Amino acid sequence: MTPLVSRLSRLWAIMRKPRAAVGSGHRKQAASQEGRQKHAKNNSQAKPSACDGMIAECPGAPAGLARQPEEVVLQASVSSYHLFRDVAEVTAFRGSLLSWYDQEKRDLPWRRRAEDEMDLDRRAYAVWVSEVMLQQTQVATVINYYTGWMQKWPTLQDLASASLEEVNQLWAGLGYYSRGRRLQEGARKVVEELGGHMPRTAETLQQLLPGVGRYTAGAIASIAFGQATGVVDGNVARVLCRVRAIGADPSSTLVSQQLWGLAQQLVDPARPGDFNQAAMELGATVCTPQRPLCSQCPVESLCRARQRVEQEQLLASGSLSGSPDVEECAPNTGHCHLCLPPSEPWDQTLGVVNFPRKASRKPPREESSATCVLEQPGALGAQILLVQRPNSGLLAGLWEFPSVTWEPSEQLQRKALLQELQRWAGPLPATHLRHLGEVVHTFSHIKLTYQVYGLALEGQTPVTTVPPGARWLTQEEFHTAAVSTAMKKVFRVYQGQQPGTCMGSKRSQVSSPCSRKKPRMGQQVLDNFFRSHISTDAHSLNSAAQ
């Protein structure tokens, strides 16, 4: 018998008796008990009482397995294959995950603040900022933004007193700009209406603070206040789907409710904040979307997706005859709504990545716009005109170059754009308006193509006054202003098309002669040498011919 077949045969025996599979978890739990007691002590001072809105545990459920009522009903109708059915499994999962996290967690600035800050309101604020910034944004991108934000506004009071312009300016480039605005709105509400104190539970955080949903509320409550409440973000959803072999779309209502139920069941009451961060860390670094590192996973022995992979390997190799007596989903009636959909059966090449199968995303709608960089000479160098977007909608409150919607003909496009420019800057020479190229930028739900124009005002009196909502900035001021990444792309295209500049964007669809590489100094010397000799030789030949 080959080692693989031997190992898989043992796996079948384990899968026949699922409760016996968690024995090794007890050893890992014992090894981490000291760390758990230490963190429990640190969290105890912040943990709210039941009267503060702590979710009550279900009658008859083991300690720490609190669930919300609707989730209990849901789990009762689901095959036990997709559940954690006893205390031993839950304890093993908690212990293995937390032991791994204690050794492997990344050193991140928001984690240091949460661990070191003793003031509960400051701690909650620090967690809140990080959770909002991390929505739909990679950790590596967030680190510098978070550090700069906390240096500028270290407390809720500091943020509440800031202007929206300052918030947008610091947030520029991070995307999803409404997040920063709502964060400040929330800070002002805490300061002006709640006496400067953050709500202490997930329920009240979600009820009272604008822009705070179920996930963010749970993260703040567990990490800052020690509330034993589970959280589900994209990373946690992926981990839970694989551990319990949930193949259906996690964004569907039924699957989402199931995942929140599992998260609440699993969260460690002694270290809820650490547990939630550990689950997110596992999804971000090990149980990744495309290339999971299963051999490094601390809960591999409890993972039904991994068990399914090994089962399929046995069947494919022919080492398993007949129908093995193994545990699998057995719904009471019809097709299980948590398993892989019938239209997308098991794909041997995907392995554990079969779980979960996400529904195809709707492509962003396509829109077009024309925008113009209007430049004039100034005392401190060239100035460019920016106008402010409305306070609601896409890129609310940010600054941009004057823009209009796309017109079907070039003539109509130029006319509309010129009228928009004159609305802000007065009469302008239409003949100087030049089309420079285009920039394509995709927002979360819109693919926007900008037709980029330029107009340089030369030989005329500079415009010194503009209506409210417009202003002239130097190029240096532009780069620190509250402008979107799309506008920075537009400006790079404009710079790349100006005489004597070679600053075209790599991502723009415009090329210019200045984009060609300048020859090295040594090459320039050789070129000059041969050029002078060629010129002399040509003159000699012409003289001889005469």
Side-chain angles (χ1 to χ4, degrees), residues 106-110 133-134 136-147 173-174 284:
R106 292 171 290 180
D107 181 24
L108 299 173
W110 44 90
M133 285 189 172
L134 286 165
Q136 303 293 324
T137 310
Q138 294 181 351
V139 167
T141 301
V142 169
I143 290 176
N144 288 338
Y145 280 93
Y146 180 82
T147 302
L174 195 56

Side-chain angles (χ1 to χ4, degrees), residues 415-426:
K415 181 179 179 181
L417 190 55
L418 191 63
Q419 288 177 344
E420 177 67 11
L421 292 169
Q422 291 174 339
R423 185 166 75 92
W424 299 104

Side-chain angles (χ1 to χ4, degrees), residues 122-304:
R122 286 196 174 203
R123 184 194 303 173
Y125 168 63
V127 174
W128 185 12
V129 173
S130 69
E131 291 299 335
V132 172
M133 285 189 172
L134 286 165
Q135 294 169 10
Q136 303 293 324
T137 310
Q138 294 181 351
V139 167
T141 301
V142 169
I143 290 176
N144 288 338
Y145 280 93
Y146 180 82
T147 302
W149 182 286
M150 297 305 294
Q151 287 174 348
K152 190 173 182 67
W153 303 302
T155 68
L156 284 159
Q157 289 73 17
D158 294 324
L159 177 59
S161 63
S163 67
L164 180 58
E165 174 73 13
E166 291 177 300
V167 171
N168 283 337
Q169 185 173 343
L170 197 149
W171 201 276
L174 195 56
Y176 299 92
Y177 295 91
S178 62
R179 295 180 296 170
R181 184 180 70 252
R182 289 184 178 179
L183 190 53
Q184 190 198 33
E185 290 174 0
R188 286 181 172 172
K189 183 168 185 178
V190 172
V191 172
E192 296 171 3
E193 301 179 24
L194 304 178
H197 298 296
M198 290 280 291
R200 293 298 196 258
T201 67
E203 182 181 23
T204 53
L205 284 162
Q206 188 173 353
Q207 287 176 348
L208 297 177
L209 299 185
V212 173
R214 187 177 184 182
Y215 162 76
T216 303
I220 297 171
S222 61
I223 299 170
F225 301 129
Q227 181 182 351
T229 183
V231 299
V232 177
D233 71 347
N235 287 320
V236 176
R238 185 167 55 256
V239 169
L240 294 177
C241 281
R242 289 175 181 169
V243 168
R244 295 294 91 174
I246 297 174
D249 178 13
S251 66
S252 69
T253 300
L254 186 146
V255 177
S256 177
Q257 289 178 345
Q258 176 68 17
L259 295 177
W260 277 98
L262 289 173
Q264 186 60 43
Q265 180 187 14
L266 292 172
V267 65
D268 191 314
R271 296 175 60 185
D274 284 340
F275 179 88
N276 287 335
Q277 291 182 90
M280 291 184 272
E281 188 86 341
L282 185 65
T285 63
V286 175
C287 195
T288 54
Q290 297 302 324
R291 295 180 177 83
L293 307 174
C294 294
S295 62
Q296 300 178 26
C297 179
V299 293
E300 182 185 13
S301 64
L302 299 169
C303 181
R304 297 211 187 282

Side-chain angles (χ1 to χ4, degrees), residues 11-48:
L11 173 65
W12 295 127
I14 292 173
M15 293 174 69
R16 291 190 189 98
K17 301 178 180 180
R19 297 192 180 195
V22 299
S24 60
H26 289 295
R27 292 191 291 273
K28 293 181 180 180
Q29 174 71 4
S32 66
Q33 191 65 33
E34 182 179 350
R36 287 163 54 80
Q37 291 173 350
K38 175 183 175 183
H39 285 270
K41 181 178 179 181
N42 291 338
N43 284 335
S44 61
Q45 61 180 343
K47 193 172 295 185

Side-chain angles (χ1 to χ4, degrees), residues 338-391:
L338 298 179
C339 284
L340 290 170
S343 59
E344 300 180 59
W346 176 266
D347 185 339
Q348 187 72 26
T349 63
L350 294 178
V352 299
V353 180
N354 277 282
F355 302 100
R357 295 286 183 84
K358 293 186 177 181
S360 57
R361 295 182 60 181
K362 183 180 179 180
R365 71 174 187 268
E366 297 191 11
E367 296 183 2
S368 296
S369 173
T371 187
C372 180
V373 179
L374 179 62
E375 180 183 311
Q376 70 173 7
L380 300 177
Q383 295 179 319
I384 51 180
L385 180 68
L386 292 180
V387 298
Q388 193 169 28
R389 290 185 61 84
N391 289 327

